[in-house]
Amino acid sequence: MKAVKIKDNVYFVGAIDYKLRLFHGYSTEKGSTYNAFLIIDDEITLIDTVKNEFFDEMLERLSSVIDPKDIKHIICNHVEPDHSGALNKLLQIAPHASVYASSPSGISGLKKYYGNIDIKPLKTGDILKIGKTTLSFIQTPMVHWPDNMLTYHNETEILFSNDAFGQHYAVNKCFDDEVDLNEAIIQAKKYYANIVLPYGAQVGKALSASSNLKISVIAPSHGVLWRKHIDKILQVYNSFVDEKSENSAVIVYDTMWKSTEKMAYVVQDAFAEVGMSTDMMDLQNNHISNIITAVAEKKYLAIGSPTLNNGMLPSVAAFLCYLKGLAPKNKHFLAFGSYGWGGQSIPQIHDQLISCGFSPICDPQKIQYKPSIEELAKLKENIINVLK
Ligand code: FEO
């Protein structure tokens, strides 16, 4: 495997993980890449590394253009091991390389993971001259760990953005104009919704800090690089940061004997009646990380569960736990479901969504055992009345 040229003297030397299907709870049906970048100047510089088990692939790519022992600087934009995991192995091959990370969180994080290695601190505004060209640094804490940092190569105008603007999308092409753009955008939205969503304010600050830069390429640490469609990916990020939800709904449910499912379809009819589109996402057939992507884009969320053992179905509880952690904002919700005797699941869902800071559109809607035609009609009427 060889280094892939990005611009004169700048190369992709990362790894492509076609087989990855789960990234701490996030379904990665398209695999991922761990992007590391090499800048060949008087002082050879590597930006990020790869997951530990992909070290050999990175080394092979590095060796296709340089002797890796000549690496002089290793910039760690982010401590998380998908980007720093190969650091110790690389330092055995390039023992004279200096390691850099954001101060203080990048330094403390790397030392925790890799031992007491010498790390040079970087802060926003610092500049590193690597020969004829220079690197500038912008700290972007909590996008999405405390240590995150952007590196900007002033002469080529490449912004090495690490996790920001990334996608879990394994392709053997580097750029947005070489792949299916629609797929790249879908994966970028999914990435934002599942990784970055709780940190909209911090993303807003990062966008503003980089807005004065002239950018020819945004080079994230996962997926394709943005060069032709920079405006498009910035627009996607800005709309997430502004929390501009579509006037539409996502209906999430699980069912035991199809009573809650019948209610879900009636909820869908009610939204359709007032002119809103819906995504139907039952929890037996949709991964929670795909559901979250839909939730992030929509204003309304309806969640249904029957009652099992005095509570909701475990699939619904798991989804609510994931939803709470990702903390989308400005959502309006409906809790619904069928029950046999206790009926506790529906108010439990309602209360959990209140604790997420969401606004109920009406009281919890529940129907005992098998919904009758009249009960379903009443459910529909109740929802239409509050949505009109
Ligand atoms: Fe791709 Fe936060 O690591």
Side-chain angles (χ1 to χ4, degrees), residues 336-357:
F336 67 94
S338 69
Y339 69 103
W341 46 101
Q344 297 94 332
S345 61
I346 303 100
Q348 285 172 6
I349 294 170
H350 187 92
D351 290 348
Q352 286 208 29
L353 292 173
I354 294 272
S355 77
C356 289

Side-chain angles (χ1 to χ4, degrees), residues 131-156:
K132 295 167 200 65
T133 67
T134 50
L135 297 169
S136 307
F137 305 94
I138 302 171
Q139 291 172 294
T140 53
M142 297 317 297
V143 183
H144 64 128
W145 276 24
D147 66 289
N148 286 92
M149 182 173 72
L150 311 176
T151 296
Y152 180 67
H153 192 216
N154 292 280
E155 289 70 20
T156 58

Side-chain angles (χ1 to χ4, degrees), residues 34-36 46 48-56 58 74-92 109-110 113-114 117 145 162:
Y34 313 112
N35 298 346
L46 182 68
D48 290 321
T49 67
V50 293
K51 242 184 191 175
N52 180 36
E53 57 264 44
F54 287 86
F55 171 73
D56 288 346
M58 181 179 75
I74 302 169
I75 312 293
C76 289
N77 272 337
H78 182 24
V79 165
E80 198 166 5
D82 48 336
H83 308 298
S84 67
L87 185 59
N88 270 348
K89 284 182 182 167
L90 185 63
L91 284 173
Q92 284 171 20
L110 286 179
Y113 275 109
Y114 307 110
I117 52 180
W145 276 24
N162 197 262

